[in-house]
């Protein structure tokens, strides 16, 4: 077994935990830092908008996660030099976004967060936006410092690890946040169960889809 295969296996195994809501508990006395719990936390118990991290988009503008509050957000983690998994996931998300019912789509945003902040500068993210045809009115591309990326990944249950060369093994977890930043739904990928994801978006929005 190669080192890459081993790391990928570990990442995929962690994804199962992430998909079953292995989310960290936020301390009510300390906003922005998370402390480990003794067991899984029910999805939606705490808002990720409590994280006090700063992020930069592909235009070089700085924001906090709390700035995303007010509407449903579909969030996934990726990196722009990913050869296969990320482009496939992003295309699936793009197709899903285009196919959402109009009344739901206007109240839903899409956030793609890089797990490779060393290479994914705002300029690299902007090139990726153009390459993938991501509408700036619909898709927000973010990068953060390495510690902030790891913190967000741990909170939502995304596993990733560098492998041989420049590759990064990572899970394909897709997260639906409600308007307050609570995790309302998670699943691995999009195409395998698109209807369930749309239903999750609808529930987060309060439409009761599905």
């Amino acid at each position: 077994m190669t080192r890459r295969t081993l790391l990928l296996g570990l990442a995929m195994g962690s994804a199962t935990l992430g998909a079953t809501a292995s989310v960290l508990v936020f301390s009510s006395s300390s906003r922005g830092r998370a402390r480990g719990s003794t067991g899984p936390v029910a999805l939606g118990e705490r808002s990720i908008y409590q994280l006090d991290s700063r992020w930069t988009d592909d235009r070089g503008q700085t924001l906090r996660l709390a700035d995303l509050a007010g509407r449903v957000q579909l969030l996934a983690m990726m990196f722009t030099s990913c050869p296969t998994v990320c482009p496939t996931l992003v295309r699936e998300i793009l197709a899903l976004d285009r196919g959402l019912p109009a009344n739901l789509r206007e109240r839903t945003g899409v956030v793609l967060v890089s797990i490779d902040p060393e290479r994914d500068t705002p300029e690299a993210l902007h090139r990726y936006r153009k390459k993938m045809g991501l509408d700036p009115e619909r898709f927000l591309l973010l990068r953060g410092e390495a510690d902030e990326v790891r913190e967000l990944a741990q909170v939502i249950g995304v596993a990733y690890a560098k492998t041989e060369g420049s590759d990064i093994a990572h899970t394909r977890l897709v997260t639906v946040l409600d308007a307050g930043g609570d995790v309302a739904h998670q699943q691995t990928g999009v195409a395998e169960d698109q209807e369930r994801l749309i239903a999750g978006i609808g529930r987060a929005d309060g439409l009761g889809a599905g």
Side-chain angles (χ1 to χ4, degrees):
M1 178 181 294
T2 66
R3 179 173 178 270
R4 183 182 187 283
T5 302
L6 176 60
L7 286 173
L8 186 58
L10 291 173
M12 294 304 111
S14 297
T16 303
L17 295 177
T20 56
S22 180
V23 181
L24 302 185
V25 179
F26 291 101
S27 170
S28 59
S29 62
S30 178
R31 291 175 62 86
R33 292 293 114 184
R35 59 183 173 84
S37 66
T38 56
V41 177
L43 293 181
E45 184 172 333
R46 293 292 184 269
S47 168
I48 74 163
Y49 295 162
Q50 292 182 20
L51 293 175
D52 194 29
S53 49
R54 289 185 177 273
W55 303 81
T56 305
D57 67 16
D58 66 307
R59 295 173 296 176
Q61 297 183 347
T62 301
L63 68 152
R64 297 181 185 275
L65 294 177
D67 295 332
L68 305 177
R71 65 173 178 168
V72 175
Q73 301 289 348
L74 181 64
L75 185 151
M77 303 189 78
M78 41 64 75
F79 65 108
T80 65
S81 58
C82 178
T84 55
V85 175
C86 297
T88 299
L89 178 61
V90 172
R91 290 188 186 101
E92 289 178 356
I93 293 174
L94 183 58
L96 173 84
D97 178 64
R98 289 171 174 167
L100 286 175
N103 62 339
L104 188 57
R105 189 171 188 260
E106 67 183 11
R107 293 193 295 273
T108 304
V110 183
V111 184
L112 301 178
V113 180
S114 172
I115 56 175
D116 188 11
E118 183 177 347
R119 291 177 293 181
D120 282 344
T121 62
E123 294 77 14
L125 290 176
H126 194 66
R127 289 193 297 271
Y128 192 75
R129 175 188 296 283
K130 290 185 175 181
K131 175 184 176 181
M132 301 299 292
L134 304 177
D135 184 350
E137 297 297 321
R138 302 291 308 143
F139 284 76
L140 180 64
L141 277 61
L142 297 179
R143 73 169 302 281
E145 297 303 319
D147 287 348
E148 312 291 6
V149 173
R150 281 192 294 269
E151 180 181 55
L152 176 61
Q154 289 172 353
V155 167
I156 62 175
V158 171
Y160 66 96
K162 288 188 176 181
T163 65
E164 298 172 357
S166 60
D167 200 6
I168 301 176
H170 62 96
T171 56
R172 300 186 303 118
L173 195 64
V174 179
T175 300
V176 178
L177 303 173
D178 68 17
D182 290 335
V183 177
H185 176 78
Q186 289 185 307
Q187 68 181 60
T188 299
V190 176
E192 294 87 347
D193 202 342
Q194 181 169 300
E195 292 304 315
R196 187 163 68 96
L197 184 53
I198 293 174
I201 294 171
R203 287 192 299 272
D205 184 66
L207 294 181

